[in-house]
C-alpha cells in the first residue's frame, strides 16, 4: 500500500450524530412528510416508521433518530426549523429529462418559491406558504407548470 492509499483509508469520516448535522434539505424533507405542519410525538413516530420502509429513506436520518431516542427533542427541533424551499421547474423545451430541482435554506418561515425556467430564462416566479403542502402537492405543481 502506498502513502496515498494509506492516508485515504485512515482518514476519519465525518459522523452525523445530531439533528443539526443533517443538511437543511433533509430536515425540510422531513417537514414535507407532515405537510409542513407541526409534528406531535405520536404522528412523528408513525411517519418515521413509514419513512424507514420507503425507498427514499436516508439511513443517516434513521441513525440520528435512533441515537437520540428522545422523540420530544426531535419533534421540537423539526417544528422549530423553518425553510425557504426553492423549486425550479424546467419546461420540456429547456430540459426533456430533468423536470425540477429543489433546494432548501434556513429561514424564519416555511415558504415555497417556485420558478419556471424555459429557454428564455425564468418565465414565471411566485412564492407560497409551504404550510399544508405535501410532496403530492409539489408534484402536482410541477406537472401543472410543465404542461402550461
Amino acid at each position: 500500500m502506498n502513502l496515498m492509499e494509506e492516508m485515504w483509508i485512515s482518514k476519519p469520516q465525518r459522523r452525523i450524530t445530531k439533528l443539526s448535522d443533517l443538511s437543511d434539505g433533509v430536515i425540510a424533507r422531513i417537514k414535507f412528510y407532515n405537510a409542513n405542519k407541526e409534528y406531535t410525538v405520536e404522528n412523528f413516530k408513525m411517519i418515521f416508521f413509514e419513512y424507514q420502509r420507503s425507498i427514499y429513506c436516508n439511513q443517516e436520518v434513521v441513525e440520528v433518530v435512533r441515537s437520540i431516542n428522545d422523540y420530544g427533542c426531535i419533534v421540537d427541533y423539526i417544528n422549530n426549523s423553518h425553510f425557504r424551499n426553492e423549486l425550479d421547474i424546467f419546461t420540456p423545451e429547456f430540459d426533456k429529462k430533468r423536470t425540477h430541482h429543489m433546494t432548501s435554506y434556513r429561514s424564519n418561515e416555511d415558504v415555497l418559491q417556485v420558478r419556471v425556467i424555459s429557454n428564455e430564462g425564468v418565465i414565471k416566479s411566485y412564492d407560497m406558504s409551504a404550510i399544508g403542502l405535501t410532496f403530492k402537492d409539489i408534484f402536482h405543481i410541477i406537472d401543472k407548470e410543465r404542461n402550461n
Side-chain angles (χ1 to χ4, degrees), residues 2-141:
N2 69 30
L3 180 60
M4 287 306 288
E5 288 173 333
E6 190 174 328
M7 286 171 57
W8 179 256
I9 291 170
S10 66
K11 179 181 175 186
Q13 293 187 359
R14 181 177 160 266
R15 299 240 21 236
I16 295 178
T17 59
K18 53 189 185 289
L19 288 167
S20 60
D21 291 339
L22 295 170
S23 73
D24 289 348
V26 169
I27 301 296
R29 179 176 284 271
I30 291 170
K31 288 180 68 84
F32 274 111
Y33 279 106
N34 194 39
N36 283 282
K37 295 179 182 171
E38 289 210 352
Y39 275 103
T40 64
V41 169
E42 288 309 310
N43 76 341
F44 178 78
K45 284 181 179 179
M46 285 180 11
I47 289 172
F48 184 65
F49 177 75
E50 291 298 319
Y51 173 76
Q52 291 177 78
R53 298 174 12 164
S54 163
I55 61 170
Y56 302 107
C57 178
N58 180 329
Q59 285 303 311
E60 291 176 335
V61 173
V62 172
E63 292 303 317
V64 168
V65 169
R66 285 183 182 157
S67 71
I68 294 172
N69 202 25
D70 177 352
Y71 289 102
C73 173
I74 294 165
V75 165
D76 286 344
Y77 182 83
I78 294 168
N79 287 343
N80 290 312
S81 298
H82 302 286
F83 299 94
R84 177 172 194 79
N85 302 282
E86 296 177 353
L87 174 63
D88 292 333
I89 302 171
F90 308 119
T91 62
E93 311 83 50
F94 182 76
D95 195 332
K96 288 185 182 4
K97 294 180 182 176
R98 273 183 62 195
T99 59
H100 69 283
H101 177 77
M102 191 164 175
T103 308
S104 301
Y105 303 98
R106 293 275 172 177
S107 178
N108 57 355
E109 60 184 339
D110 293 313
V111 172
L112 178 68
Q113 178 187 28
V114 178
R115 290 185 298 245
V116 181
I117 302 170
S118 77
N119 289 340
E120 290 94 43
V122 176
I123 57 171
K124 191 175 189 181
S125 179
Y126 56 91
D127 289 357
M128 59 193 306
S129 172
I131 306 296
L133 286 179
T134 64
F135 286 120
K136 185 177 180 180
D137 297 326
I138 290 174
F139 291 125
H140 176 74
I141 292 168

